[in-house]
Amino acid sequence: MFTSKFNTMTGALDWEIQNEDYDYQQELARAGFADMLHDYERNRLYYAGLRKAIKKLKSENKVVNVLDIGTGTGLLSMMAVMCGADTVTACEAFKPMVKVAKKCIEANGMKDKIKIIEKRSTDIVIGIDMDQRANVLVTEVFDTELIGEGAIGTFTHALDHLLDSYCYVVPDNAIMYIQIVDSPKCHDWNWLDLSKYGLKVPEEYKNLAGDAIFDIQLTEFNEFRALTEPLEAFRFSFSGKKPISYNERNVVEAVSKQDGKANGIFMWWVLRMDYENEILLSCAPHWAHHSPNNMQWRDHWMQAIYFPSRLIDLKSGENFLISCQHDEYSLKFDVHAFSEKNKILNFNQPIEDINLGMTLVSRNRLAQLNDKKRFDMFINLLKKNEKDYRNLLIANDDFSILPLLSASETKYEKIFVLESNRFRERCLLSFLNINGLEERVTIIDKNLTDIQSADLINNQFDFVLSESSFNSIVLPWDNLYFYYGLEHLRSLEQKKSAIKKILPIKLRLFVIAISMENLDKIRSPVGVCEGFNLAEFDKIILEASCKADGFLEPHPLWEYPSKPLSDSLEIFDFNFNSRSVSEPFTKTCKFGLKENGLLNGFALWHVLEFDEEDSRISINTGLLNEPEFGKNLVWSKDYKQAIHILEKKVEICDSNRSNISVNCNINFEPLLGKFNIYFKIEN
C-alpha cells in the first residue's frame, strides 16, 4: 500500500510503498515490550508475588481464579498457571499483541489453560466474558509516573466489577517518593535566564517547557546537591484495602539539609508486590535504592524530574513545604515557603484536574537557550559580519533567542525571523514587546521550505543565519534540511543572487564503535524468560522494529553508559554553500577496533561549523571529550545522538581484534532527499 511519510531533510511529504501490515508493524515496534522482558527483576518479583498470593489462597482451600490485565506476551498468565491457578483469564486490547500472546502461550503448551479476551478490562462483563469474578489480579499498567497509563481507573474498575471482595492483587500497593535538589542543570531545563544580556522574560512565558514529565535515568545524573532526604509523597493501595482517589492533594513538611536553591524535584516509586510488603520492586536511583549494589537496569520505567513554579532560596535547617497533587493520569509538585502554610493547607478548595500547560520547547531545547557560551558565540559572529551585510534572516522553526540578541546587540538594518507556529510566534512577539524590540524584527510565518516569492517582495536579506534547530530533525543528517531550504530560497527569482553569507558553513558527521552497558537490551532477543520460551515474541517484535524504525534511532547517550572500542571518525561533511547538488554521494569508510569489549553498536553525531578559519566556532552535539579507552564516553546532555544497535554482538579480544574491521557505507541521494548509513563487520 502507499503511505505518506514526512521527509525530515527536504520538508516534503514523500509517498512510499509499504506492506499491508505497516500500521501493525509501527504499533508493535514502538510498544517497548522487549525492554520490559529484559527487566529480570520485574519478571522475578511478579512471579514471586503471584506465587505467594496463589499459595495463600490454596492454603485456605479456595479455587484460584486469576485475571491478567494487559497480558502482552502472556508471560504473567503463564506464571499463574505454573503457580497452580485453577483458571487464568488474560485480557489484551492491543490487537498486535493479542497475536503475540496467542503464539507464545501455544509455544509453551498452555493454549488450553489460558483464556484470552480481546478487550479492555473496563469492557469485560462477568457472565458474558468471564464465568465468575477473579480472586487474584495481576497486572502491569505502570509508566514512569506510575499512574500515566490509567492505573487508577484500571484497578478501581477491576475491584468494583471483576474481583471478589476477598482477593489478592499483584502488586498490592505502591509508595511514591520525592526529593528536593539544588541543580544548575535543573534550572537550565526549566527557566530561561536572559539577565546576562539585559533582556526580560515575560511572566506568561517564564515556563516555556510547560509542566509535563521529564523522565530521566537519574542514576547517571550527578549535577545536583540534595536539599532533603527522599520523602514520601503518596501511597496507592491497589488491593482495595483503601480506595484509590482519582484526585488527591498532599502537603509534605520538609527541612533543608543545606543552603541552596530548590529548583528540582526528583520522583520515583516502589511497588510492594505482596500483601505483607516483603517483595519490593524499586525504581529508585542508586543513592536511594534498598539494594544499590544489585540494581536492575531498566528503561521502560525511569525516574522523573519536576520543577517548582518559582525559585526559592533555602537555608540549612529551614522548614518549607512541598505540595503534591495527582489526578487520574498526571502528577504535579511544587515548593513553597513555610510562611505560606495556611494558604497551602486550605483543603476547602476543590481539587481540580492538573493542567500541564503548553509546551513550546523541549527541556533540551531550553537548556540550549540557556547556554551562554553558545549565544556569546552567535553574538560575536553577528557583530563580525554586521559591517558587510545589511539584512539578516534567522532561519529556525524552533523558538530561538537569536532574534532578541540580534536586535539588541547588533546594527543590522533589517532582521527577519521565520516562525510558522502561531503559539511560538505569539511567544516571540511577547519577548520582543517587553524588551522594546518589536520594531527591529519582522516575523515571516513560514517554514524555510514554504516561503513563496510574495513573502520576499518587501523582505530583502543578504545574510542567512541558523542554529539548525528545526523540529523535523531526528537524526544528525536531518540538518541537511537547511540546505534544501536554501535551495528553495535560491530558486525564487527575487533571491537568486541576493544571499551572500550563509551560516553555518558546514555539517560534519562522526561515528564511533561502542560497547553499551545496557542500552542494547532494548533491541536484543529475549529467548527464555523465567523458564518460558518467548522465541515467537522475538521473531514478531524484532522484525516489526526493524521494518518500522529503520537502521538508526535517537537516544540521549549521556543517560546510557558506553565505552569506546575505536577512535571517533569523520565520515561525511557537507558545505551549505553548495549549489544544486544532484550527483549521488557514496563513500565507504573502513576503520579498525582498538579496545577489547563487547561490540554492540555505533554512535553517530554531528558538528556544525560557523567559521572557515576556526573550527572551534561550532555547535557540537556529541562527544564532549576525546574518547579514552576503558572509560565511559562523555556526551552532550543537550542533544540526542543516533545509535545503531547490532543485531549480532561481537566479543572483541586480543586474539581477534586485529583481524576485525568495520565498513561504514554512506549513501546520499540529494535529488530524492535520502541519506542512508550501513555498517558491516568484516573478520
Side-chain angles (χ1 to χ4, degrees), residues 150-184:
I152 291 177
T154 298
F155 282 107
T156 300
H157 178 271
L159 288 165
D160 289 344
H161 300 284
L162 305 177
L163 298 176
D164 285 338
S165 57
Y166 181 69
C167 65
Y168 291 97
V169 177
V170 181
D172 184 87
N173 62 88
I175 302 177
M176 184 173 289
Y177 293 93
I178 53 175
Q179 186 171 26
I180 310 303
V181 301
D182 180 338
S183 167

Side-chain angles (χ1 to χ4, degrees), residues 512 515 561-565 595 626-634:
I512 189 169
S515 178
S562 59
K563 291 182 171 63
L565 299 184
E595 180 71 353
E626 284 295 318
E628 295 184 56
F629 296 117
K631 295 184 178 181
N632 284 340
L633 295 163
V634 181

Side-chain angles (χ1 to χ4, degrees), residues 252-535:
V252 178
E253 293 191 16
V255 180
S256 182
K257 294 166 48 177
Q258 55 185 316
D259 294 355
K261 299 179 185 296
N263 48 26
I265 305 167
F266 292 171
M267 185 282 293
W268 62 88
W269 45 262
V270 176
L271 294 179
R272 302 201 287 190
M273 307 302 291
D274 65 308
Y275 56 91
E276 294 180 316
N277 299 327
E278 294 177 339
I279 305 170
L280 304 181
L281 200 171
S282 175
C283 289
H286 70 90
W287 65 84
H289 201 279
H290 64 276
S291 181
N293 296 321
N294 189 31
M295 286 178 59
Q296 168 73 50
W297 180 87
R298 56 176 62 95
D299 204 46
H300 60 105
W301 299 327
M302 292 189 276
Q303 301 81 38
I305 303 178
Y306 295 82
F307 302 90
S309 61
R310 57 196 172 100
L311 196 60
I312 293 182
D313 286 308
L314 295 171
K315 298 295 183 183
S316 179
E318 181 179 353
N319 288 11
F320 66 101
L321 304 174
I322 309 161
S323 60
C324 312
Q325 183 186 346
H326 75 78
D327 58 18
E328 186 174 357
Y329 299 101
S330 303
L331 300 163
K332 191 170 185 177
F333 303 97
D334 209 348
V335 178
H336 311 271
F338 196 76
S339 59
E340 299 178 85
K341 183 174 182 178
N342 290 337
K343 177 183 177 182
I344 301 303
L345 292 177
N346 181 10
F347 288 108
N348 293 324
Q349 297 176 353
I351 302 177
E352 300 178 352
D353 286 344
I354 294 171
N355 181 2
L356 296 179
M358 180 178 293
T359 299
L360 291 174
V361 300
S362 68
R363 298 284 177 192
N364 283 341
R365 177 59 179 159
L366 192 48
Q368 295 167 25
L369 296 174
N370 276 311
D371 185 345
K372 303 303 183 289
K373 289 183 179 179
R374 175 195 187 99
F375 287 100
D376 287 348
M377 178 192 79
F378 278 117
I379 290 172
N380 290 334
L381 285 169
L382 286 164
K383 289 184 175 180
K384 179 180 177 180
N385 288 282
E386 66 183 345
K387 293 180 181 179
D388 299 320
Y389 308 101
R390 299 169 55 192
N391 302 322
L392 171 68
L393 172 67
I394 298 170
N396 294 308
D397 70 356
D398 204 351
F399 181 80
S400 176
I401 63 171
L402 277 179
L404 299 168
L405 295 178
S406 57
S408 63
E409 300 277 347
T410 70
K411 299 177 181 178
Y412 290 92
E413 290 185 16
K414 293 183 179 180
I415 300 168
F416 304 94
V417 60
L418 302 179
E419 184 50 82
S420 62
N421 181 289
R422 63 187 179 93
F423 297 107
R424 286 197 297 268
E425 179 182 0
R426 189 182 304 163
C427 175
L428 178 57
L429 282 170
S430 182
F431 272 83
L432 292 169
N433 288 333
I434 199 173
N435 288 287
L437 300 171
E438 64 274 16
E439 299 298 325
R440 293 272 288 129
V441 177
T442 299
I443 299 176
I444 302 174
D445 60 349
K446 296 284 179 69
N447 287 324
L448 190 57
T449 52
D450 293 333
I451 292 177
Q452 302 299 318
S453 297
D455 299 314
L456 305 178
I457 292 175
N458 297 314
N459 299 331
Q460 303 293 313
F461 44 82
D462 50 9
F463 179 12
V464 180
L465 172 65
S466 177
E467 293 178 72
S468 198
S469 179
F470 300 103
N471 287 307
S472 61
I473 291 176
V474 177
L475 298 169
W477 43 91
D478 292 338
N479 286 272
L480 290 170
Y481 172 83
F482 184 49
Y483 160 73
Y484 287 98
L486 292 171
E487 283 292 275
H488 175 68
L489 284 181
R490 292 166 179 146
S491 71
L492 303 177
E493 278 191 1
Q494 294 95 327
K495 308 307 296 178
K496 278 188 175 178
S497 60
I499 302 174
K500 299 175 182 177
K501 182 72 175 181
I502 295 169
L503 292 178
I505 297 169
K506 184 183 290 187
L507 168 72
R508 301 172 67 194
L509 186 63
F510 295 84
V511 67
I512 189 169
I514 59 174
S515 178
M516 293 172 279
E517 192 173 303
N518 289 300
L519 184 58
D520 61 306
K521 294 175 183 176
I522 67 172
R523 294 288 178 264
S524 297
V526 176
V528 176
C529 178
E530 294 299 316
F532 300 100
N533 179 3
L534 298 184

Side-chain angles (χ1 to χ4, degrees), residues 126 206 225 254 271 279 292 436 461 525 593:
I126 299 297
K206 64 179 182 178
R225 294 184 304 118
L271 294 179
I279 305 170
F461 44 82
L593 303 171

